[in-house]
Amino acid sequence: MMSEKIKEHYQRQFSLKSFGFPTSAYKPLFSGKGRSFPAALRECTEFCRGDRRCIGMEVCQIREDLYRCRACCEWMKLGEKTEPTNNMAACKYYEMKEETMNIAVSQPATLSSTYSASNYKASNANDNVLKCSSGLSTACSQLESQPWLKIDLQAIYDVNKVTIYNRQDCCGERLHDVQINIINNGTDASCGFYKGPADDGDRISVYCASGAVGRRCRKYCNIKVCHYEFNISQDQSDSFSGRRQRS
């Protein structure tokens, strides 16, 4: 059933968004080449039919008879310090519109430890506050070798994407080595990994491969973040067995 939904998902239209990739900070899923623009684009298109993480494709002319395509992404970082990789007509970036909803707002959250009893609570990580003016409004663990944050989604979901909003005031580099797992019946499935380090105010999206199905999401990282979002696809929200849609 899921394979049919993924196939249907990637028959949707990609449209031109920009000349050059929109950020210099991302990890491609795939790179291919062709002797013409259509041939290179076909390489990425065929790849994207089998990997739902593919939400964009960049095609660049390398020389007169050679084109390169790159499929996006394992993860993507947007922020003040990121810039387009190219800004020329030789590179075109096509993107598929994402129709997702955040299912993590105000769900039960737990930290491996809390920096202080009165502030830095786990619930700060999914309170839907996207701008943190100080560390007091972040979720922060004590100094640990392997801190973690766990959010109970209260139902079984197929998670498409996890987005991390890093704190804006300082110390953005503390976010690094982030492993994101989706847990179902005690079994962990990896959504993805972000090496980092991040910068102040970065918004980092990690795209989950097929099979990231579960009720709980756990992140192992150096935790001091402003906000997390967990997104599922709206056009699949009523189709996945065992999952219910939440507002």
Side-chain angles (χ1 to χ4, degrees), residues 112-151:
S112 54
S113 64
T114 305
Y115 187 73
S116 79
S118 56
N119 298 300
Y120 308 104
K121 299 175 294 184
S123 59
N124 288 345
N126 61 330
D127 58 2
N128 213 30
V129 175
L130 306 185
K131 292 187 177 181
C132 297
S133 58
S134 75
L136 296 178
S137 55
T138 66
C140 183
S141 67
Q142 295 180 7
L143 184 61
E144 300 180 45
S145 59
Q146 289 186 314
W148 52 262
L149 168 70
K150 181 169 65 177
I151 296 177

Side-chain angles (χ1 to χ4, degrees), residues 22 69 80 90 93-94 102 106 111 118 140 155 158 171 193 211 225-226:
C69 77
E80 294 180 357
Y93 177 64
Y94 297 84
N102 181 15
S106 300
L111 275 167
S118 56
C140 183
D158 184 19
C171 316
F193 176 77
V225 294
C226 181

Side-chain angles (χ1 to χ4, degrees), residues 9 12 99-100 158 160 231-237 243:
H9 188 58
R12 292 166 59 192
E99 298 176 354
T100 63
D158 184 19
N160 291 65
N231 298 98
I232 61 171
S233 175
Q234 285 185 341
D235 63 359
Q236 297 180 36
S237 61
R243 186 181 66 205

Side-chain angles (χ1 to χ4, degrees), residues 106-239:
S106 300
Q107 302 289 26
T110 308
L111 275 167
S112 54
S113 64
T114 305
Y115 187 73
S116 79
S118 56
N119 298 300
Y120 308 104
K121 299 175 294 184
S123 59
N124 288 345
N126 61 330
D127 58 2
N128 213 30
V129 175
L130 306 185
K131 292 187 177 181
C132 297
S133 58
S134 75
L136 296 178
S137 55
T138 66
C140 183
S141 67
Q142 295 180 7
L143 184 61
E144 300 180 45
S145 59
Q146 289 186 314
W148 52 262
L149 168 70
K150 181 169 65 177
I151 296 177
D152 188 339
L153 302 177
Q154 298 289 286
I156 303 297
Y157 292 101
D158 184 19
V159 179
N160 291 65
K161 178 178 69 172
V162 176
T163 300
I164 306 166
Y165 291 76
N166 208 10
R167 59 183 297 185
Q168 292 86 17
D169 58 329
C170 75
C171 316
E173 73 283 353
R174 295 179 183 177
L175 184 67
H176 61 82
D177 296 297
V178 183
Q179 173 64 47
I180 300 173
N181 290 344
I182 309 298
I183 306 171
N184 188 29
N185 292 327
T187 302
D188 285 28
S190 175
C191 168
F193 176 77
Y194 173 67
K195 178 65 178 176
D199 292 311
D200 299 352
D202 279 348
R203 187 173 80 251
I204 301 157
S205 292
V206 179
Y207 295 87
C208 303
S210 301
V213 178
R215 171 169 172 161
R216 295 176 176 86
C217 186
R218 190 193 322 243
K219 291 147 295 301
Y220 300 89
C221 59
N222 187 349
I223 297 171
K224 193 161 190 177
V225 294
C226 181
H227 183 66
Y228 279 95
E229 287 185 355
F230 298 83
N231 298 98
I232 61 171
S233 175
Q234 285 185 341
D235 63 359
Q236 297 180 36
S237 61
D238 295 321
S239 302

